[in-house]
Amino acid sequence: MDQPSLYDDDIVTWAEQQAASLRELARRPELSNRLDWENVGEAIEGVGRSQISAVENLLAQTLAHVIKQLSAPDASPLEHWRKDAGTIQIAAMACYEPSMRQRLNWDKIWMSARALAKLGLTLYGDTLMPDLPPQCPLSPDELLVIPFDIDAALRQIAESTVLKSA
């Protein structure tokens, strides 16, 4: 194996490379047709996609907790939301690989975060703050870092909302 640690270091890239190799093998007529090369490659690529999806979901949850803090600053679970935002962001970073950065769907992450925040706020009789921007006001550099600066994230989202409503 040319890169013995790639599986451990970057499973997304590993999965893509393995799937591409299997597809190359599938085009070789001298190899057995009993192995479903194409679908085996697809299954391996699915490993990488599931890792990306896990990071997207964790980042959406992180942002949802930040949005809830802004939307309901007097709610009783405020400190719980703050702790969860930090904890979940750390979990996202544990799953994150640099090769994922360009593959993450930032619009989907932000849209999911808004929906999750709205659902969570209704439990406490609160509503989502108005005029949230359509795109995430935080850059990947601000989200994909440890330590995650929750206060800066709160300010940035609040400022983007104020600017939009002004």
Side-chain angles (χ1 to χ4, degrees):
M1 185 180 293
D2 294 334
Q3 297 173 321
S5 67
L6 189 58
Y7 178 86
D8 294 323
D9 294 341
D10 185 350
I11 194 150
V12 175
T13 301
W14 173 87
E16 290 173 347
Q17 287 179 357
Q18 296 304 304
S21 295
L22 286 170
R23 289 189 179 102
E24 282 180 37
L25 288 173
R27 290 190 285 274
R28 292 177 54 185
E30 73 274 12
L31 294 178
S32 170
N33 288 332
R34 294 183 69 190
L35 186 61
D36 186 353
W37 296 99
E38 185 63 33
N39 285 322
V40 170
E42 184 67 27
I44 290 173
E45 272 185 333
V47 170
R49 283 193 302 272
S50 69
Q51 292 294 316
I52 291 168
S53 180
V55 171
E56 287 176 339
N57 289 332
L58 290 166
L59 291 174
Q61 290 176 44
T62 299
L63 289 169
H65 286 301
V66 173
I67 294 168
K68 288 189 286 188
Q69 290 177 64
L70 285 170
S71 298
D74 298 324
S76 59
L78 188 67
E79 286 306 312
H80 175 73
W81 292 336
R82 182 178 182 83
K83 179 186 79 62
D84 280 355
T87 302
I88 295 168
Q89 191 273 344
I90 290 169
M93 291 304 298
C95 299
Y96 174 73
E97 300 292 342
S99 65
M100 292 179 183
R101 184 184 174 108
Q102 70 273 10
R103 294 172 178 95
L104 294 172
N105 184 336
W106 296 101
D107 290 336
K108 176 183 156 189
I109 292 167
W110 182 244
M111 201 168 60
S112 296
R114 291 172 56 153
L116 288 167
K118 185 176 180 178
L119 283 171
L121 288 165
T122 56
L123 292 172
Y124 299 96
D126 291 307
T127 58
L128 199 61
M129 69 184 310
D131 297 324
L132 281 170
Q135 281 86 33
C136 183
L138 301 175
S139 73
D141 289 335
E142 293 162 320
L143 278 171
L144 298 172
V145 64
I146 292 179
F148 174 54
D149 190 341
I150 296 172
D151 293 322
L154 288 163
R155 280 191 305 277
Q156 197 156 339
I157 294 172
E159 288 169 5
S160 71
T161 302
V162 171
L163 293 175
K164 184 177 178 188
S165 60

